[in-house]
Amino acid sequence: MNTTVNIQAPNAIVMVRPHQFVSNPQTMADNAFQRPLDAKQSAQAAYAEVTNAIATLQNNGIQVHVFEDTGTSTPDSVFPNNWFSTHHNGLVISYPMYADNRRLEYRQDIIDFLQANYQYQQYVDFRHFANEDTFLEGTGSIVFDHQHKLAYAVESKRTDAELLRQVCQLLGYQDVLFNAADEHNMPIYHTNVLMCVATQFVMIGMNMVATADKPRLYNLFKQSGLSVIELSNQQIHQFCGNALELQAADGSVLALSETAFNALSEAQKTTLGQYTRLLPLAVPTIEAAGGSVRCMIAGVHPTVQKA
């Protein structure tokens, strides 16, 4: 097993395999990426897609901790990155979710497993904020640059500015809140469909970012030494921004969907190839529910002892 510690890219992850997958009717209104699905066919297809994705990731040296969801009340359980995150300072955080049925995805067995098998010393539970109509949906809402201690977030009804600041205080990070909307002026519902921050580059749909916020983002990318790979609106809708860098057995890989891989230009693939190896995964059924590969992966970031 690869034991290299990469501050940005974890080599262990959590995934949830759904047995009764459907497109969540409670999130359809504000998720422009989502469409209805036939329940029986989608459940079988999603189970197979997650199973194949797990195998591919494991074959590339990623440690995948797989949890099964056999219930019928949590249609979005395949996206665990929204309800918890792990951090190098030994912290596990759980988050308040916007949709009622997404609040049921929380699983104490996953928290217990992480605390028992990794050196997470502290658990902070923010779920009660949902009772106040205050929401922050994990690494869907927040795209972390762990190297430079930045937390990028598009403000929306799923991403509360004050709660973001509280998370950043716990981590010692700077919050970078900005606005973004698609070509129909519909706000971007999750930051991680718009952008991906990796060790040496950032992929982002800058056309969707509010004009007033662009200079600040470009400046932060420059200060962080990140190569900027700009994505078109069409590429964002093809989930090109919904990717995640992982530390594989032979170095960095970028986990992304086949849909996203096919939407990238050859020039973009060449540029990305200078920094990482592209690892496409076929998840078309899951993408119909409004999320892609990055949403399916909750990173297990190893604790880093202070010198």
Side-chain angles (χ1 to χ4, degrees):
M1 174 185 156
N2 178 35
T3 57
T4 302
V5 174
N6 182 318
I7 294 296
Q8 186 64 18
N11 66 0
I13 61 176
V14 166
M15 295 181 70
V16 175
R17 178 162 42 200
H19 293 236
Q20 306 291 334
F21 178 85
V22 293
S23 190
N24 188 351
Q26 292 189 18
T27 59
M28 194 84 69
D30 72 326
N31 185 339
F33 295 77
Q34 194 174 341
R35 62 182 188 273
L37 291 168
D38 176 87
K40 184 176 180 180
Q41 290 180 351
S42 64
Q44 294 172 343
Y47 183 92
E49 288 172 11
V50 175
T51 300
N52 292 335
I54 289 167
T56 300
L57 290 162
Q58 290 173 330
N59 289 340
N60 281 271
I62 309 298
Q63 184 168 15
V64 186
H65 300 299
V66 184
F67 293 83
E68 308 292 337
D69 178 24
T70 59
T72 59
S73 58
T74 49
D76 279 340
S77 63
V78 72
F79 305 132
N81 80 304
N82 296 141
W83 69 262
F84 81 93
S85 62
T86 67
H87 298 275
H88 302 293
N89 65 350
L91 182 64
V92 179
I93 303 173
S94 60
Y95 295 91
M97 307 290 285
Y98 174 71
D100 289 343
N101 61 10
R102 295 220 61 189
R103 298 171 200 169
L104 304 175
E105 293 171 29
Y106 174 87
R107 288 177 57 160
Q108 187 64 42
D109 61 331
I110 293 179
I111 300 296
D112 291 345
F113 173 86
L114 291 169
Q115 291 191 304
N117 290 276
Y118 294 88
Q119 294 178 307
Y120 299 121
Q121 303 299 319
Q122 188 180 5
Y123 169 56
V124 176
D125 186 353
F126 283 121
R127 288 178 297 154
H128 61 280
F129 279 98
N131 298 325
E132 304 168 22
D133 290 331
T134 298
F135 311 108
L136 187 68
E137 298 196 331
T139 55
S141 291
I142 311 166
V143 173
F144 288 109
D145 179 344
H146 295 293
Q147 295 181 110
H148 305 100
K149 297 189 174 182
L150 299 171
Y152 293 95
V154 176
E155 189 166 11
S156 73
K157 61 186 178 184
R158 300 196 193 192
T159 302
D160 180 77
E162 177 54 36
L163 195 49
L164 172 68
R165 280 190 279 271
Q166 290 188 42
V167 169
C168 287
Q169 278 188 327
L170 286 171
L171 299 175
Y173 283 27
Q174 174 190 341
D175 62 288
V176 184
L177 196 68
F178 64 100
N179 290 295
D182 67 15
E183 58 273 21
H184 305 296
N185 206 33
M186 187 171 181
I188 298 301
Y189 81 104
H190 271 166
T191 313
N192 76 359
V193 299
L194 180 76
M195 67 184 297
C196 161
V197 175
T199 303
Q200 295 178 277
F201 63 89
V202 55
M203 303 166 68
I204 183 168
M206 268 296 190
N207 290 340
M208 294 185 175
V209 175
T211 301
D213 291 321
K214 290 181 182 181
R216 181 167 54 116
L217 294 188
Y218 279 128
N219 189 46
L220 285 170
F221 299 152
K222 184 177 180 180
Q223 289 176 3
S224 302
L226 298 177
S227 175
V228 180
I229 298 165
E230 298 206 18
L231 303 171
S232 69
N233 288 14
Q234 183 178 7
Q235 288 178 321
I236 292 298
H237 287 297
Q238 297 297 309
F239 296 102
C240 291
N242 196 242
L244 181 67
E245 183 188 29
L246 300 170
Q247 187 69 23
D250 59 351
S252 164
V253 299
L254 186 69
L256 75 170
S257 72
E258 277 192 356
T259 303
F261 179 82
N262 292 332
L264 291 171
S265 70
E266 290 306 313
Q268 288 170 324
K269 291 175 184 176
T270 298
T271 299
L272 286 166
Q274 299 172 17
Y275 307 114
T276 189
R277 177 168 57 85
L278 300 181
L279 186 64
L281 306 169
V283 291
T285 308
I286 289 161
E287 286 179 325
S292 189
V293 167
R294 196 279 166 263
C295 301
M296 297 165 60
I297 296 173
V300 181
H301 292 276
T303 55
V304 177
Q305 302 301 321
K306 295 181 179 179

